[in-house]
């Protein structure tokens, strides 16, 4: 029997894009600064600017359209201070989204940014040429059709990937672990649906390439353990291969935490809003940790978007796991290997209590706080 799983996404709030501007002609637009406002009329008369002026911007500054010869003549006029091209200002600044700050990721970067940690994003794929992700994408596999790329034709997986490891550069956003190596494993189609068989193939591929972390922002709704026995087997294989497996708890408060998040071997993540209240859509019952998941701005298709869901919470923990794996102090028993159990113990130690006192079924150990990493 074919079982459907879906990406745990709730709403799409905003997609932004930018539009390049191109112009080519003999005339160009210039911003003209007159020496004094009283001279505007005489300068305009001398140079025939009544036909050339597009707009008087201030009493002493005008926007004009000129040929190169007209510009040259104006520059020689003593009543003109400057004639400069009307160049474009661009938004070239990276923002650190509130959610990245809430988990205190930037304070952890001084001790490493997970440069060699391999994180598998098992999802709808990743937009492979996204300028805020491409340099971190080190591998890909399309479990639906292995002859095709794992390019994201939905947007969900790209959003998840950006929360984990969007680049720390001059554009867009930044992820929790901005140098982590991303592996795009596509098991969900353009509608965000996929089969049990393809998810198993995807997890098995992640094991075969020896990743360190698996993020699954997906689930099987109300399906039972009995319906998914082979999935549990391959997840146990992953954990035995020393992979830390993180999954979204699910977005239906009417049902208990979905599989795979409900498995004891998987870290189940619930969502919190910017005001530190738990998201109303969280599934409950088996929650291990809480992370931001309401109105999260991240990479989406070729651009950026704001999404909500436990799908957005899970990758915060996956990114945190990458940072934890990059720190020698996380090898708690100093045997040379950081196991998933050691990772979980570190996550417990750095979590800030939420909801009822101590561990609870709606927020688990609480909100992860990377400033508390040793
Ligand atoms: Ca960036
Ligand atoms: Ca160890
Ligand atoms: Ca609590």
């Amino acid at each position: 029997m074919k079982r459907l799983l879906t990406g745990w996404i709730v709403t799409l709030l905003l997609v932004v894009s930018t539009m390049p501007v191109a112009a080519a002609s003999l005339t160009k637009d210039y911003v003209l600064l007159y020496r004094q406002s009283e001279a505007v009329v005489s300068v305009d008369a001398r140079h025939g600017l009544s036909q050339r002026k597009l707009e008087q911007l201030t009493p002493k500054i005008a926007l004009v359209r000129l040929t190169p010869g007209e510009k040259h003549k104006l520059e020689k006029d003593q009543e003109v201070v400057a004639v400069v091209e009307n160049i474009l200002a661009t938004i070239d600044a990276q923002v650190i989204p509130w959610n990245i700050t809430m988990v205190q990721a930037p304070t952890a970067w001084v001790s490493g940014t997970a440069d060699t940690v391999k994180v598998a994003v098992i999802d709808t794929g990743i937009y492979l040429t996204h300028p805020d992700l491409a340099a971190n994408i080190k591998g890909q596999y399309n479990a639906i059709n292995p002859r095709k790329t794992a390019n994201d034709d939905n947007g969900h997986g790209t959003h998840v990937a950006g929360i984990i490891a969007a680049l720390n550069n001059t554009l867009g956003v930044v992820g929790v672990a901005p140098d982590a190596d991303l592996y795009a494993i596509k098991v969900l189609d353009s509608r965000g649906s996929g089969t049990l068989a393809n998810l198993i193939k995807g997890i098995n591929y992640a094991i075969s390439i020896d990743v360190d972390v698996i993020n699954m922002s997906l689930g099987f709704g109300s399906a039972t353990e009995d319906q998914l026995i082979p999935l549990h087997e391959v997840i146990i294989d992953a954990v035995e291969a020393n992979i830390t497996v993180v999954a979204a708890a699910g977005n239906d408060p009417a049902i208990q935490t979905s599989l795979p998040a409900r498995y004891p071997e998987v870290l189940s993540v619930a969502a919190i809003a910017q005001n530190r209240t738990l998201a109303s859509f969280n599934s409950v019952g088996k929650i291990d940790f809480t992370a931001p998941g309401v109105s999260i701005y991240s990479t989406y298709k070729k651009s950026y978007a704001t999404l909500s869901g436990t799908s957005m919470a899970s990758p915060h923990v996956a990114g945190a796991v990458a940072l934890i794996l990059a720190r020698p102090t996380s090898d708690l028993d100093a045997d040379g290997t950081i196991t998933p159990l050691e990772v979980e113990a570190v996550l417990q130690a750095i979590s800030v209590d939420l909801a009822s006192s101590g561990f609870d079924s709606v927020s688990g150990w609480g909100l992860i706080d990377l400033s508390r990493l040793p």
Side-chain angles (χ1 to χ4, degrees), residues 141-266:
Y141 173 68
N142 185 332
I144 303 165
N145 183 346
R147 291 187 303 273
K148 290 188 173 175
T149 73
N151 199 44
D152 185 5
D153 50 8
N154 174 280
H156 185 269
T158 303
H159 200 270
V160 166
I163 294 166
I164 297 170
L167 296 162
N168 191 3
N169 51 14
T170 58
L171 66 142
V173 295
V174 62
V176 173
D179 287 317
D181 293 345
L182 292 169
Y183 291 80
I185 299 182
K186 183 170 176 57
V187 303
L188 303 175
D189 62 19
S190 60
R191 294 161 303 152
S193 304
T195 63
L196 170 61
N198 284 335
L199 178 59
I200 289 170
K201 279 169 64 180
I203 296 169
N204 190 57
Y205 180 79
I207 297 170
S208 75
I209 60 168
D210 201 23
V211 302
D212 303 299
V213 190
I214 288 174
N215 185 84
M216 288 184 284
S217 287
L218 50 82
F220 285 91
S222 57
T224 64
E225 276 87 345
D226 282 352
Q227 291 175 293
L228 297 167
I229 288 169
L231 175 65
H232 197 186
E233 186 69 20
V234 74
I235 284 175
I236 290 170
D237 289 345
V239 174
E240 286 180 351
N242 217 34
I243 299 170
T244 300
V245 183
V246 186
N251 295 340
D252 187 349
I255 59 171
Q256 65 168 333
T257 305
S258 287
L259 295 168
R262 195 164 76 238
Y263 291 130
E265 299 83 5
V266 177

